[in-house]
Amino acid sequence: MSIGAINNSLATTVATSTVSKKNTDSVEDKKTNKTGFNEDAVVYEKSDTSKNDSVKKTDHAAIIEQLKLDADARKQQLINIVQQTISRQGKTLAATDDIWKFLASGDFTVTPEVKAQAQKDIADDGYWGVEQTSDRILDFAKALANDDPSAAPELLDAFKKGFEKATNTWGKELPEISKKTYDAVLEKFDKWVNEGKTSTDTKTET
């Protein structure tokens, strides 16, 4: 996979993870019977990540594919929600990238159900929380590198470029949760590299 593709995948992960935070901090709820939304269509559904448990760590291609599918599904789910929100509120967007800027503006309303799910998603143990998001990014990097820590610098550079791209797409500074995720990813990359060095030193001594 090219670095460009890595950048796009990481940018999607980072940018999408900011949206649940935006739904909890920058929107004004209306009563459900006044929103005009189809509740079944806009409530987030937790994706099935249990498949990851059955994938062997050595099967890097399967891990990468599962992570990509999960990220794509989450992204499309979000886009569908945004499109319905925009349509119900009489707004239009010219391009997909405008969706992120629309969300960043906070100039929209969501149902209490969507807000509650967003709060759950960004909680400490939530899908878009700092720990799970940073873990997925590192797992993705390790799979691309075939668990070889020597590839970490190049992949870390790709992550940083992806984060920068996500910031540009967002249209302004990303929320605090994204910054915490960024720091967590850097910390986990550093730990991965150090573990690799320790393993190499041990083999050399042996």
Side-chain angles (χ1 to χ4, degrees):
M1 179 178 292
S2 68
I3 289 298
I6 297 170
N7 290 345
N8 289 336
S9 295
L10 295 179
T12 296
T13 300
V14 174
T16 309
S17 69
T18 68
V19 174
S20 288
K21 178 65 175 175
K22 199 66 183 180
N23 282 342
T24 65
D25 291 346
S26 303
V27 297
E28 177 184 358
D29 291 334
K30 292 184 177 181
K31 292 182 179 179
T32 306
N33 62 359
K34 293 183 180 180
T35 59
F37 293 133
N38 179 334
E39 293 179 19
D40 293 334
V42 299
V43 175
Y44 292 130
E45 294 180 0
K46 182 176 178 59
S47 60
D48 182 8
T49 56
S50 61
K51 294 181 181 179
N52 286 336
D53 295 334
S54 64
V55 178
K56 294 181 180 180
K57 288 295 184 182
T58 54
D59 192 353
H60 300 107
I63 294 173
I64 293 170
E65 186 62 22
Q66 181 60 41
L67 289 168
K68 287 174 61 181
L69 288 173
D70 196 41
D72 287 344
R74 287 274 178 163
K75 179 181 178 181
Q76 188 57 53
Q77 186 179 58
L78 172 64
I79 289 174
N80 291 341
I81 292 171
V82 174
Q83 287 175 336
Q84 290 181 51
T85 301
I86 293 169
S87 176
R88 295 294 186 183
Q89 296 181 8
K91 304 178 187 294
T92 59
L93 295 178
T96 301
D97 280 354
D98 290 340
I99 287 176
W100 308 110
K101 291 181 175 59
F102 168 78
L103 289 167
S105 73
D107 184 23
F108 60 94
T109 60
V110 296
T111 65
E113 289 80 7
V114 170
K115 181 175 180 179
Q117 185 60 50
Q119 290 173 324
K120 180 180 178 180
D121 286 344
I122 65 170
D124 291 341
D125 59 346
Y127 182 88
W128 290 120
V130 173
E131 285 303 308
Q132 284 200 44
T133 301
S134 57
D135 281 344
R136 283 195 303 276
I137 290 174
L138 185 66
D139 287 344
F140 188 39
K142 284 183 174 180
L144 289 171
N146 292 321
D147 290 320
D148 180 5
S150 67
E154 184 178 15
L155 291 167
L156 183 57
D157 183 61
F159 164 72
K160 290 179 179 178
K161 289 178 179 177
F163 192 89
E164 182 179 357
K165 181 177 179 180
T167 302
N168 292 335
T169 301
W170 191 243
K172 60 180 181 180
E173 189 175 5
L174 291 171
E176 184 66 23
I177 190 173
S178 299
K179 298 174 187 176
K180 290 181 178 180
T181 301
Y182 180 92
D183 291 340
V185 170
L186 264 58
E187 182 179 342
K188 290 175 182 181
F189 260 89
D190 187 58
K191 183 178 179 181
W192 177 33
V193 171
N194 287 332
E195 287 175 348
K197 289 180 179 178
T198 301
S199 177
T200 300
D201 292 342
T202 301
K203 289 180 181 179
T204 300
E205 291 175 0
T206 302

